[in-house]
Amino acid sequence: MNTQKPLFDTHLCGLGTFLDIANKAIQENLRNGTYTSSDASSLQTQTVLTLYNIGAMAETLGMEHIDYSDNSPQKCMPTALMLFGRVVQEMAYCFDTVTPYVNQHNRNKGNTPADDTFPPPDGC
């Protein structure tokens, strides 16, 4: 059995491991100038699109399954999916709307983005 610690952080959800690796690579490429501000803007747009699409998928999945659950206790799951999907979409919209103002404020103050923004401290 291999007990050597990997060179990257692992997360119980699995996906968090790959997102963490990607986030650190993006941070490094931004810091060392490999990525331009145009690249950063494109990555930010892709992040917002991802949130919109994940939210839409969850909401649609919930809507498609709510008809099959009648009045049983399982009706909570489709409703929760619909709510989760809508919240993710609305958060993406908020992020998309607020970001230009945050960026303007940070340019005026000379602030830089925080490091290690993924994953959140409480897990995936």
Side-chain angles (χ1 to χ4, degrees):
M1 184 162 131
N2 187 1
T3 57
Q4 185 178 7
K5 182 176 175 1
L7 298 175
F8 48 84
D9 296 328
T10 58
H11 304 277
L12 294 177
C13 63
L15 179 60
T17 301
F18 293 100
L19 292 174
D20 189 37
I21 291 168
N23 187 48
K24 286 178 180 169
I26 290 168
Q27 285 178 15
E28 181 59 31
N29 284 325
L30 286 169
R31 269 192 222 112
N32 69 22
T34 302
Y35 289 167
T36 64
S37 62
S38 178
D39 294 328
S41 179
S42 178
L43 286 168
Q44 184 174 19
T45 300
Q46 293 300 306
T47 301
V48 171
L49 287 172
T50 299
L51 291 173
Y52 277 127
N53 287 322
I54 287 173
M57 286 187 289
E59 188 176 31
T60 302
L61 184 62
M63 283 189 293
E64 288 179 355
H65 283 72
I66 203 159
D67 291 337
Y68 301 110
S69 58
D70 292 328
N71 291 326
S72 64
Q74 287 80 14
K75 196 168 199 141
C76 292
M77 185 59 72
T79 304
L81 273 172
M82 289 170 53
L83 180 61
F84 169 76
R86 176 54 40 197
V87 167
V88 170
Q89 290 176 78
E90 293 301 326
M91 292 303 293
Y93 176 74
C94 181
F95 176 64
D96 202 17
T97 303
V98 169
T99 298
Y101 297 100
V102 170
N103 289 341
Q104 171 118 18
H105 176 75
N106 284 337
R107 274 193 298 274
N108 294 341
K109 298 286 186 183
N111 296 336
T112 57
D115 290 340
D116 301 321
T117 55
F118 187 88
D122 56 354
C124 293

